[in-house]
Amino acid sequence: MPPAPRHALALASLLAFCLMSSPALAAPPSEASPAPQASPAPLPESPSLSLTDTYSPVALGTIGLLFPTSAAITVFGGYFFDAPVPAMGSPTPGSLDYRVAENFHGDLETGAPLLGGIPDHGGYALSALPVLYYGLGSAWKGITGRDLYPWQGPYHHQSTFAYLETFTWTALLTNAAKFFVGRARPYVALNRRSYGWHGGEDYLSFWSGHASLSFAAATFMARDISDGLYHRVLANAEPLPRFMLGRALPYTVLYGAASTVAVSRLYDQKHFVSDVVIGAAVGTLLATLVYNARFDARGIPRTRPGVALDIAPSAEPAPVPPEPLSRTTPTRSSPAASAPFAIHNRFRILPGQQLKLALP
C-alpha cells in the first residue's frame, strides 16, 4: 500500500477509536452490559446572561464605535494615511531577518504568492471568521430556540462581543505601530519590486497585521471552542478522547491556519521574521487577556461588578439532621460544648438573583 493511503487509514482508525471510546458519542449499552463507572458530571449551565450583565453601557458603546473604525483602518489604512517616515532600519546582511528574506521567496520574475495568494486573503478571512461563526449561532438560536453548536452554550452574544473587543485592540495597536514606527518591507529592502504594492504600503512592515489578527482570532476561538467541548460535550468522555477532541483538535486546526498565514507573509516578501513573530505574540497575548477577563476557566461569562446575584442551593447531598438536644446542659469539658458550629446548607450564587439577609 502506498504511504499516503496507509497514513490516511491509520489516521481514520485512530479517529474511529477515539469516537467509539467516548461515552457521549458511542451507542448506548444494552441491558446485559455492566454498569459504567462513575464519571464527572457535565458542566451545569447558568441562566442566559444579557450583554449588560457582563459589559457596562460605556464599554458597549466604546467597542461599538471603535470596532468599525479599527476594521476600516486595517483594510484601507494605506489609503487614509500618508506613508510613514522610516524610523526603524532594515535588517543588516547576515542577520536572521535578512537571511530568511533573502532565501525564502517565490519566483522573483513574477512575484507569485504562496499557494496562489490564498493565505494572503485568508488572513483577513480568518480574522472575520469568529464574527460569522458567532453571528450564525446567535441567529439560529433566535429563530429556532435551539443551540447551533452544542459546545457553545447560551453565550453567543458574550462571545461575539468579546471577540469584537479582541479584534479592536489588536487592530488599533498593530496599526499604531505600523504608522508610527515605519519599517521597509523585505521587497523594498532587498529591491524585489515584483512583490511590491503601491507606495503607501512600502514602509508598513513592523509588525505584521496578518499575523497579529490571525493569531488573535485563532487564540480566541480555540479557547472558546475548546472550553465548550472539554467541559460540556465531552465532560463524561474518557481522558484521551476528551483531551484529543476537546483540547488538541481545536488548537491544531486554528493555529495551523494562523501559522500558514504567517509563513505566507515571509514567502511573499511582505514581512521579516521579527515582524511575524512579534505580531503573532501580540495577537495571542491580547486574545488571552480579553478572554480571561470576560470568561472563567470553564468558558462561562463573568459578570461585571455591581450586578445583583441570587443565592440558590447548590447540588450537594442532603445535610445530616442534627441530634436532638439533651435536657442536661453540657459542661465546658463535654464534646458537645467544644464542637464547632456546623453549617449544613451550602449555597452558590447565580446571575440574576439577589441575596437578602434578615437581621434580628
Side-chain angles (χ1 to χ4, degrees), residues 51-72:
L51 278 177
T52 55
D53 291 329
T54 53
Y55 284 89
S56 67
V58 174
L60 290 173
T62 301
I63 301 302
L65 177 63
L66 292 181
F67 169 71
T69 303
S70 63

Side-chain angles (χ1 to χ4, degrees), residues 18-354:
C18 293
L19 292 175
M20 293 179 64
S21 60
S22 172
L25 302 176
S30 62
E31 295 182 357
S33 60
Q37 298 181 353
S39 301
L43 179 67
E45 297 291 356
S46 298
S48 298
L49 303 174
S50 65
L51 278 177
T52 55
D53 291 329
T54 53
Y55 284 89
S56 67
V58 174
L60 290 173
T62 301
I63 301 302
L65 177 63
L66 292 181
F67 169 71
T69 303
S70 63
I73 295 176
T74 299
V75 179
F76 303 107
Y79 299 94
F80 291 161
F81 306 101
D82 294 332
V85 176
M88 185 176 183
S90 300
T92 58
S95 64
L96 178 62
D97 274 346
Y98 193 92
R99 284 186 284 113
V100 171
E102 186 179 29
N103 298 312
F104 186 60
H105 56 76
D107 188 352
L108 296 180
E109 295 295 329
T110 62
L114 180 67
L115 300 178
I118 294 177
D120 183 15
H121 300 291
Y124 294 106
L126 183 58
S127 62
L129 176 63
V131 179
L132 177 62
Y133 170 82
Y134 294 121
L136 286 176
S138 297
W140 182 265
K141 180 74 172 181
I143 295 173
T144 66
R146 295 176 295 175
D147 293 328
L148 179 59
Y149 317 114
W151 53 85
Q152 185 63 46
Y155 310 127
H156 298 284
H157 299 306
Q158 283 78 10
S159 296
T160 302
F161 210 81
Y163 176 70
L164 296 183
E165 185 180 9
T166 299
F167 179 95
T168 297
W169 301 128
T170 304
L172 289 178
L173 188 58
T174 297
N175 285 287
K178 282 178 173 291
F179 286 99
F180 280 103
V181 173
R183 187 186 196 187
R185 294 184 184 271
Y187 67 78
V188 175
L190 279 67
N191 195 23
R192 291 170 175 171
R193 303 305 299 180
S194 59
Y195 284 98
W197 295 334
H198 58 85
E201 300 281 354
D202 288 349
Y203 294 94
L204 300 179
S205 186
F206 186 82
W207 57 72
S208 171
H210 276 69
S212 64
L213 292 174
S214 295
F215 273 87
T219 300
F220 188 92
M221 286 194 70
R223 286 286 303 274
D224 196 27
I225 295 176
S226 175
D227 285 344
L229 288 172
Y230 192 82
H231 292 294
R232 295 186 184 93
V233 177
L234 302 173
N236 294 328
E238 296 295 329
L240 179 59
R242 190 184 186 196
F243 173 79
M244 294 298 296
L245 299 177
R247 295 298 191 197
L249 182 61
Y251 280 95
T252 300
V253 172
L254 290 165
Y255 274 122
S259 299
T260 303
V261 173
V263 170
S264 74
R265 308 308 287 165
L266 305 176
Y267 185 89
D268 296 347
Q269 299 287 284
K270 299 301 190 294
H271 291 286
F272 294 103
V273 171
S274 58
D275 304 331
V276 170
V277 171
I278 294 177
V282 169
T284 302
L285 176 62
L286 290 177
T288 302
L289 291 176
V290 172
Y291 189 88
N292 289 343
R294 301 303 181 185
F295 298 90
D296 64 16
R298 303 170 300 168
I300 297 179
R302 303 181 189 273
T303 55
R304 63 185 178 89
V307 175
L309 299 178
D310 268 346
I311 291 211
S314 60
E316 304 233 347
V320 178
E323 296 181 359
L325 296 177
S326 173
R327 292 188 177 182
T328 59
T329 305
T331 61
R332 182 177 298 273
S333 60
S334 65
S338 59
F341 180 72
I343 299 178
H344 295 284
N345 291 326
R346 308 179 96 186
F347 301 92
R348 67 185 169 91
I349 298 177
L350 295 180
Q353 300 176 331
Q354 296 182 348

